[in-house]
Amino acid sequence: MVESVLKKLGQTDNCVLDDVFVQAVSEVLTSLELTIRSDSRYEQFAIIERLVTPDRIIQFKVQWLDDHNNVHVNNGYRVQFNNSLGPYKGGLRFHPSVTVDVLKFLAFEQIFKNSLTGLPIGGAKGGSDFDPKGKSDFEIMKFCHAFMRELHPYIGARIDVPAGDIGVGSREIGYLFGEYKHITRNYDGVLSGKPYAFGGSLMRPQATGYGVVYFAREMLKEELQESLEEKVCTVSGAGNVAIHTIEKLQQLGAIVVTCSDSDGTIYDPKGIDLALLRHLKDEGRRLSLVEYINTHPHALYTPKTEYPDGGHTVWHIPCFAAFPCATQNELTLIDAQKLVENGCVAVVEGANMPTLPDAIELFLREGVLFSPGKASNAGGVAVSEFEMSQNASMEKWEFEKVDRKLDELMRQIYKRVSLTAKEYGVERNFVDGANIAAFKRLSEAMILEGV
Ligand code: NDP
Ligand code: 2IT
């Protein structure tokens, strides 16, 4: 079954770096093979074919003026993948590496992630090949306005609710919302991750990273009777997810010794100085991590050019638990071998699909607890849904309330994933557990709504 679907998608190999959509589909279908055979309705309703085909892909031209009045043109996209469980929901990514393939993989993952939350949200993803690096605040604003001029007909509070992802934080969402409002005069909760000043939920900026750590804490407690206190942890990335993962790990007493950006890695054996990291990477500033060692000469900076062949420096530093929080395919088989060799007991994904398939296989074989991003990073989209709820009822919830609900939801996701794995005879395989649990809820809705 996996082979025939992949063939139809134009690909038969199981692990292809330059086709991330096929990579994501392949992982999910491999998990589902037995489940699909267990119920004839899946074939009768062509569930798999419907599941791997996006509802629609919207592509548009984004033209904008820089600060010197030069004209620029970028590609803009929204992949609305599946809305069987609720309005399309998922982030926008602004990064030069954005292509339709990347957004299809992210949107496909999103439908499973959103299903796992148990909340009424479908899945989508969008973005642009625009590079925010080195752009002035006004240029970011002009780009966001131009992007929304093209996107606005396709979104709505009960239709499709975009949010942030790589290169898109509350500043960008603020500008996008501003333009949406100018055009439509509508104050609906059409975007989540808005600034708190106009409809954003408290804790949305922290939600993904905090949720990752809540998930990790629960998994370690239940599976190993372990805690994160005084444990050495490694984190990759230096953006929204990485910073809040580091913050919550530190609050729980863990010692986080690494972070990284697209140019290099910091190893600080005394523990990452979070205030300095924020200072370097605050929205708009985006300085290089090499600056970290100016004030912290005991720390080590490794430029990307000196990474181990086929690997990433972060994962070669001994740790109790590892948290990949930068981007897709950033943890290779070589890195996984090093993590296992160094006695790492858990890998908890904060990014979307950061671990390569053969690295995941190794973790599962070696008994390293491995949590796929669609389970452990679902806290971000969950708090986005909380924001939609607050907007719809014109309420504002307190920080503590959102935090409590997030913690509870992450524990539920862990339980759902681990119980499903047990029920299907693959105990502690949280990849299969997550894919099967998400599929069951989603496919039921697709069957019940008819074709
Ligand atoms: P940010 O833009 O805030 O940060 C991204 C970080 O990853 C930066 O440190 C960036 O380095 C680094 N990075 C980005 N692209 C690459 C690359 N090609 N190679 C190496 N490093 C790279 O994004 P987020 O923190 O929001 O997102 C990180 C991951 O988490 C992504 O996979 C995203 O899809 C996922 N995610 C995000 C959620 C959210 O709520 N924001 C929710 C769930 C998942 P540099 O500083 O040099 O740009
Ligand atoms: O990958 C993700 O879950 C996100 N980028 C967040 C999506 C959202 O709608 O909050």
Side-chain angles (χ1 to χ4, degrees):
M1 185 273 297
V2 182
E3 264 72 45
S4 69
V5 175
L6 292 180
K7 206 165 179 185
K8 220 168 166 188
L9 293 172
Q11 187 64 59
T12 46
D13 195 34
N14 254 7
C15 164
V16 196
L17 271 173
D18 59 358
D19 198 341
V20 279
F21 175 57
V22 171
Q23 184 185 329
V25 170
S26 169
E27 179 213 283
V28 169
L29 295 190
T30 304
S31 288
L32 297 180
E33 198 126 28
L34 289 179
T35 315
I36 292 162
R37 279 203 224 115
S38 70
D39 188 336
S40 60
R41 293 179 310 159
Y42 296 139
E43 202 182 331
Q44 188 193 350
F45 284 86
I47 289 298
I48 295 304
E49 214 172 330
R50 288 164 65 201
L51 206 55
V52 300
T53 311
D55 287 353
R56 67 194 60 80
I57 299 176
I58 300 144
Q59 178 167 359
F60 45 89
K61 178 172 68 177
V62 187
Q63 36 190 18
W64 56 283
L65 291 178
D66 68 19
D67 289 343
H68 307 288
N69 284 337
N70 298 312
V71 181
H72 295 268
V73 179
N74 286 100
N75 296 306
Y77 311 92
R78 187 71 177 163
V79 178
Q80 297 179 332
F81 217 105
N82 185 299
N83 66 351
S84 294
L85 292 174
Y88 298 109
K89 183 81 199 88
L92 296 172
R93 177 176 289 193
F94 292 170
H95 194 273
S97 62
V98 164
T99 59
V100 175
D101 177 43
V102 167
L103 295 176
K104 273 169 71 184
F105 122 66
L106 288 163
F108 180 72
E109 289 287 288
Q110 197 83 44
I111 61 177
F112 286 83
K113 181 191 311 191
N114 294 3
S115 172
L116 269 184
T117 64
L119 300 168
I121 39 181
K125 204 84 185 189
S128 172
D129 53 9
F130 169 74
D131 186 358
K133 272 195 191 142
K135 304 293 187 298
S136 72
D137 197 43
F138 266 128
E139 287 171 336
I140 298 285
M141 182 182 77
K142 283 184 279 186
F143 177 80
C144 288
H145 285 178
F147 186 89
M148 185 51 83
R149 277 198 292 280
E150 297 302 322
L151 180 68
H152 81 272
Y154 307 104
I155 59 175
R158 292 295 162 118
I159 300 169
D160 182 354
V161 182
D165 194 77
I166 289 178
V168 178
S170 65
R171 174 182 60 162
E172 289 73 16
I173 297 290
Y175 293 146
L176 290 163
F177 186 71
E179 186 65 6
Y180 180 84
K181 197 161 54 73
H182 277 304
I183 299 170
T184 64
R185 288 172 292 119
N186 190 333
Y187 216 104
D188 268 349
V190 69
L191 292 153
S192 64
K194 298 182 287 299
Y196 181 65
F198 50 87
S201 174
L202 283 171
M203 254 206 83
R204 177 62 188 88
Q206 295 88 344
T208 310
Y210 280 21
V212 167
V213 181
Y214 292 152
F215 187 98
R217 183 181 59 183
E218 192 64 12
M219 180 173 80
L220 288 164
K221 188 180 83 183
E222 290 298 317
E223 303 294 334
L224 304 178
Q225 293 74 52
E226 273 286 8
S227 83
L228 286 157
E229 214 178 328
E230 291 181 13
K231 301 293 190 327
V232 171
C233 296
T234 50
V235 174
S236 66
N240 172 278
V241 179
I243 283 176
H244 294 104
T245 298
I246 295 172
E247 182 171 71
K248 185 50 79 179
L249 282 169
Q250 291 182 343
Q251 285 173 11
L252 296 185
I255 305 149
V256 183
V257 294
T258 62
C259 61
S260 66
D261 63 13
S262 41
D263 295 327
T265 294
I266 285 290
Y267 169 49
D268 185 343
K270 290 188 183 169
I272 292 295
D273 179 342
L274 193 56
L276 174 58
L277 179 59
R278 281 185 198 280
H279 171 75
L280 296 175
K281 292 293 181 183
D282 247 2
E283 266 176 10
R285 214 172 289 119
R286 294 172 185 270
L287 298 171
S288 166
L289 279 181
V290 71
E291 309 239 357
Y292 188 98
I293 53 173
N294 291 343
T295 51
H296 293 53
H298 63 274
L300 190 71
Y301 177 75
T302 311
K304 197 174 181 174
T305 46
E306 290 174 22
Y307 283 0
D309 201 18
H312 192 307
T313 292
V314 168
W315 316 123
H316 294 234
I317 290 162
C319 66
F320 171 77
F323 296 80
C325 294
T327 191
Q328 64 268 14
N329 289 332
E330 55 160 316
L331 197 163
T332 65
L333 179 61
I334 286 163
D335 299 327
Q337 283 161 344
K338 202 74 193 170
L339 282 162
V340 170
E341 198 182 302
N342 285 334
C344 170
V345 305
V347 176
V348 187
E349 292 189 336
N352 286 309
M353 208 172 74
T355 313
L356 279 151
D358 48 5
I360 297 177
E361 260 176 50
L362 182 79
F363 290 142
L364 295 178
R365 222 174 30 242
E366 294 292 329
V368 175
L369 296 176
F370 175 81
S371 162
K374 58 171 77 79
S376 39
N377 76 26
V381 75
V383 173
S384 274
E385 196 273 350
F386 299 168
E387 184 171 325
M388 290 162 71
S389 288
Q390 292 171 72
N391 292 162
S393 56
M394 305 286 271
E395 281 181 57
K396 273 201 178 283
W397 300 350
E398 288 174 359
F399 190 96
E400 290 69 27
K401 173 171 175 173
V402 183
D403 195 22
R404 220 176 27 248
K405 282 173 74 76
L406 171 66
D407 194 356
E408 175 58 30
L409 192 123
M410 295 314 295
R411 277 188 275 140
Q412 277 172 10
I413 293 178
Y414 162 74
K415 206 167 276 166
R416 204 165 281 148
V417 167
S418 74
L419 284 178
T420 307
K422 252 185 220 148
E423 191 187 330
Y424 282 79
V426 283
E427 194 167 351
R428 279 201 177 166
N429 181 334
F430 303 132
V431 175
D432 286 355
N435 288 331
I436 296 168
F439 172 77
K440 299 270 291 187
R441 178 167 180 244
L442 187 53
S443 56
E444 201 54 34
M446 289 172 73
I447 290 167
L448 292 175
E449 74 183 354
V451 181

